[in-house]
Amino acid sequence: MNTKYIFVTGGVVSSLGKGIISASIGKLLQARGYKVTIQKFDPYINIDPGTLNPYEHGECYVTADGMETDLDLGHYERFTGIHTSRHNSVTTGRIYKAVIDRERHGDYLGKTIQVVPHITDEIKRRMLRIDEGKENFDFVITEVGGTIGDIESAPFMEAIRQLRWQLGHDAVCVHLTYVPYLKAADELKTKPTQHSVKELQGMGIQPDILVLRTERHLDDSMRLKVASFCNVDLECVVQSEDMPSIYEVPVSMQRQGLDAAILRKIGIPVGETPAMKPWHDFLEKQRNATREVHIGLVGKYDLQDAYKSIRESLNLAGIYNGVKAKLHFVNSEEVTADNVEEKLKGLAGIIVCPGFGQRGIEGKIIAAEYTRTHDIPTFGICLGMQMMVIEFARNVLGYKDANSSEMDGETAHNVIDMMEEQKTITQMGGTMRLGAYECELLQGSRAYAAYGGKALISERHRHRYEFNNAYKSEYETAGMKCVGINPTADLVEIVEIPEKKWYIGAQFHPEYSSTVLHPHPLFMDFVKACVNH
Ligand code: GLN
């Protein structure tokens, strides 16, 4: 079959959960046996979100092939279990850069380069995934960031308009809008949706399917009203009510026939509704996991989205351990030696979070010392692992000035140091050690057991600094073992203190590869230790 294209746009307001809807559509089509990929087009000019502060754009998600991307790709992977790649995240910046590079190369042969057709053509090429050739997808789902009417997303909309025209039945447009509830009037209001669809129509795009985000149930008369005012079939108006968990959304969409509506629009026989047994089993586990285990996230970003994948990984690992992981943000900037006990009170374990720069690191070090000396399960991720290593140097090895050369270029005891190949790099964007690298696990270690006795694993990275091998033997003698090593570069990827209940630091980001049906083994083992603690 020809590849089919599904475009997902959003209207009225942002933060409606377009990423969840896109991921759900992907999941439902995958369950029907189709080969699916989901990609995100963002209207901002940064080449990728790698240089963005998490306060601007939440977590930066890293693909196995080493692209720093939008956090929605995390939802795509967690829902479908399908790896995304550098092709799945496109920004206006990348589009313009490709066009301008080509112009400088002389490829346009004297032509005036314009938004239409040159920028829109480049957008279309990427929406169609022309460059990949070999990978043949049944469905390519393209989510466009931002809200209809934004000036910056106009070229994306024009590209979608053209593709709709070009592809005919091979393309469908799904538009997500908001239906607010007015308390004083005790009414749900569809007017913003009508306006949003008008705006789309004004750009020459007639949506095929409307997904209405709502906090209250919409009855059939409401749906009929929207259908008739927006030129959409009644069966193509579905609602996305608030759910106790985002993982209920695919099931709710399937119940309302969203995937069937898409197939009908495209002209593919709908066939039987897939049972999605593993997914339902997971939801069942989720509903039963009510006993709470309290876990602290020691970090500096007081923002839900900043540690999105870590939160979801803990949440999933909790469910598979039969518990509800209650996460508590502990602002590391506020942690001191005097208040650490109070700050970590009642927590069954902590995550020492990843990050960059000086701000809040001393609090992470103090927290790591407290949990080490009180034998509280501790999981350090990337910068978090580095802070565990520094803490150990200061308080066990006796190097009071131990630090990372990221924070203190002058320290005599740079137990965390810049990687050799990073020293000549001057450009900031996309130049870290990024993406999946192999790691050999030491037999008999806690990490080895957590991974179920696998000798070789592969995990995703995003960092410039590294455990300094000059100190390795000192650490090992004093009780902190280097149990995961990258075999080609001899870099330390995992440290642990075997005599503690669970004290492990990973230089990589396991949170990027935890999925709904396959929770990550380290998170599984960590949460288990928290439960036992
Ligand atoms: N800032 C640290 C480094 O570059 C850690 C990065 C991170 O936590 N992702 O090595």
Side-chain angles (χ1 to χ4, degrees):
M1 119 178 165
N2 288 345
T3 303
K4 314 292 179 196
Y5 298 87
I6 300 171
F7 299 102
V8 183
T9 55
V12 185
V13 289
S14 59
S15 304
L16 290 179
K18 246 183 302 165
I20 306 296
I21 295 296
S22 305
S24 299
I25 295 173
K27 178 79 219 167
L28 294 178
L29 293 171
Q30 177 194 36
R32 288 177 180 272
Y34 294 110
K35 189 161 180 228
V36 178
T37 191
I38 316 174
Q39 52 183 356
K40 175 88 190 269
F41 280 54
D42 273 307
Y44 54 76
I45 297 177
N46 304 61
I47 296 287
D48 59 49
T51 54
L52 283 174
N53 185 320
Y55 286 118
E56 298 273 322
H57 209 252
E59 161 189 289
C60 175
Y61 184 80
V62 179
T63 58
D65 69 345
M67 175 87 187
E68 296 172 284
T69 72
D70 187 78
L71 59 77
D72 275 322
L73 273 77
H75 292 307
Y76 308 161
E77 291 207 10
R78 281 188 290 275
F79 275 60
T80 63
I82 302 169
H83 275 191
T84 51
S85 78
R86 54 184 55 252
H87 299 289
N88 293 56
S89 177
V90 177
T91 66
T92 292
R94 278 184 85 186
I95 300 284
Y96 270 78
K97 188 166 188 309
V99 170
I100 292 170
D101 285 351
R102 231 177 278 139
E103 185 271 336
R104 291 289 81 183
H105 194 246
D107 296 356
Y108 292 107
L109 304 174
K111 286 268 182 250
T112 308
I113 310 307
Q114 294 177 299
V115 173
V116 183
H118 302 99
I119 294 297
T120 46
D121 279 354
E122 181 62 22
I123 296 172
K124 279 160 60 184
R125 273 164 45 86
R126 292 179 187 240
M127 284 179 166
L128 295 173
R129 312 215 15 148
I130 297 288
D131 289 342
E132 264 157 303
K134 54 185 182 336
E135 278 227 63
N136 239 323
F137 299 108
D138 298 321
F139 284 92
V140 175
I141 301 167
T142 301
E143 177 192 348
V144 179
T147 310
I148 290 304
D150 294 347
I151 291 174
E152 62 251 41
S153 56
F156 292 131
M157 295 305 140
E158 171 58 14
I160 293 176
R161 185 196 66 76
Q162 292 180 21
L163 286 176
R164 272 301 295 289
W165 180 246
Q166 227 171 285
L167 296 167
H169 278 297
D170 286 347
V172 282
C173 290
V174 178
H175 188 53
L176 179 65
T177 72
Y178 181 51
V179 177
Y181 169 71
L182 286 191
K183 203 166 152 211
D186 187 26
E187 265 185 79
L188 283 155
K189 293 294 183 189
T190 62
K191 193 77 84 190
T193 295
Q194 297 174 40
H195 281 294
S196 175
V197 171
K198 271 218 180 79
E199 181 113 34
L200 255 186
Q201 290 166 340
M203 290 185 255
I205 301 170
Q206 169 61 47
D208 299 287
I209 291 169
L210 292 175
V211 179
L212 310 177
R213 271 293 280 129
T214 169
E215 283 150 40
R216 303 267 170 135
H217 186 76
L218 293 168
D219 60 23
D220 287 351
S221 68
M222 277 272 172
R223 286 178 45 240
L224 190 60
K225 186 173 163 190
V226 171
S228 57
F229 282 130
C230 299
N231 303 345
V232 173
D233 301 336
L234 179 60
E235 58 148 32
C236 293
V237 181
V238 303
Q239 56 185 310
S240 174
E241 278 181 87
D242 282 357
M243 294 272 153
S245 144
I246 54 173
Y247 303 118
E248 303 271 0
V249 176
V251 174
S252 158
M253 292 300 121
Q254 188 188 48
R255 217 181 294 125
Q256 296 180 69
L258 175 60
D259 53 340
I262 290 172
L263 294 175
R264 250 180 248 122
K265 278 281 158 199
I266 288 176
I268 299 175
V270 174
E272 277 189 24
T273 307
M276 300 217 297
K277 171 115 174 40
W279 195 270
H280 282 282
D281 289 348
F282 162 79
L283 292 179
E284 189 59 28
K285 282 197 184 80
Q286 181 173 37
R287 287 177 206 123
N288 294 333
T290 48
R291 198 183 126 210
E292 292 181 347
V293 53
H294 297 268
I295 296 174
L297 294 182
V298 182
K300 66 176 168 179
Y301 300 114
D302 189 3
L303 170 87
Q304 294 267 340
D305 276 355
Y307 305 116
K308 188 82 197 162
S309 294
I310 294 181
R311 287 177 176 275
E312 289 308 321
S313 299
L314 287 168
N315 174 13
L316 296 170
I319 292 164
Y320 282 95
N321 273 292
V323 294
K324 190 174 171 60
K326 272 292 219 192
L327 308 182
H328 303 267
F329 175 70
V330 180
N331 190 335
S332 60
E333 283 183 276
E334 291 165 10
V335 175
T336 64
D338 292 334
N339 69 17
V340 61
E341 175 151 19
E342 182 57 32
K343 292 267 184 202
L344 303 184
K345 206 163 110 194
L347 297 177
I350 64 164
I351 299 275
V352 190
C353 291
F356 294 84
Q358 178 74 38
R359 189 164 64 87
I361 66 152
E362 292 304 325
K364 287 183 177 172
I365 294 172
I366 291 165
E369 177 184 8
Y370 184 85
T371 54
R372 179 177 59 79
T373 51
H374 291 76
D375 204 2
I376 298 168
T378 306
F379 191 3
I381 299 178
C382 206
L383 184 70
M385 169 267 201
Q386 297 175 355
M387 294 306 119
M388 289 162 99
V389 166
I390 291 169
E391 187 280 315
F392 197 85
R394 289 186 188 176
N395 301 319
V396 179
L397 304 183
Y399 300 131
K400 291 292 168 212
D401 64 344
N403 214 328
S404 161
S405 46
E406 176 180 3
M407 318 303 168
D408 177 2
E410 306 294 297
T411 176
H413 297 102
N414 51 344
V415 291
I416 302 294
D417 197 15
M418 188 179 265
M419 279 176 275
E420 210 42 52
E421 61 274 24
Q422 286 286 330
K423 291 184 179 161
T424 50
I425 290 174
T426 51
Q427 291 278 80
M428 292 301 278
T431 55
M432 280 185 262
R433 181 173 183 237
L434 290 168
Y437 287 89
E438 286 190 332
C439 171
E440 265 168 15
L441 298 177
L442 182 75
Q443 273 196 34
S445 65
R446 173 108 217 182
Y448 180 82
Y451 278 96
K454 264 199 196 164
L456 191 66
I457 55 161
S458 171
E459 294 283 1
R460 303 182 202 181
H461 294 250
R462 180 177 186 238
H463 60 120
R464 284 185 211 286
Y465 297 83
E466 207 32 88
F467 182 97
N468 184 344
N469 276 335
Y471 292 92
K472 196 168 160 187
S473 62
E474 272 183 82
Y475 273 91
E476 300 224 315
T477 313
M480 184 178 264
K481 306 284 181 197
C482 303
V483 299
I485 306 286
N486 172 268
T488 39
D490 194 31
L491 298 171
V492 174
E493 313 282 37
I494 308 177
V495 295
E496 68 179 44
I497 302 182
E499 69 172 39
K500 301 290 171 192
K501 280 186 200 133
W502 212 99
Y503 200 84
I504 298 184
Q507 185 57 78
F508 49 79
H509 292 265
E511 70 273 23
Y512 295 144
S513 42
S514 209
T515 70
V516 171
L517 298 183
H518 298 283
H520 193 282
L522 281 180
F523 281 101
M524 283 294 288
D525 203 49
F526 168 68
V527 172
K528 191 167 152 203
C530 292
V531 173
N532 294 338
H533 181 72

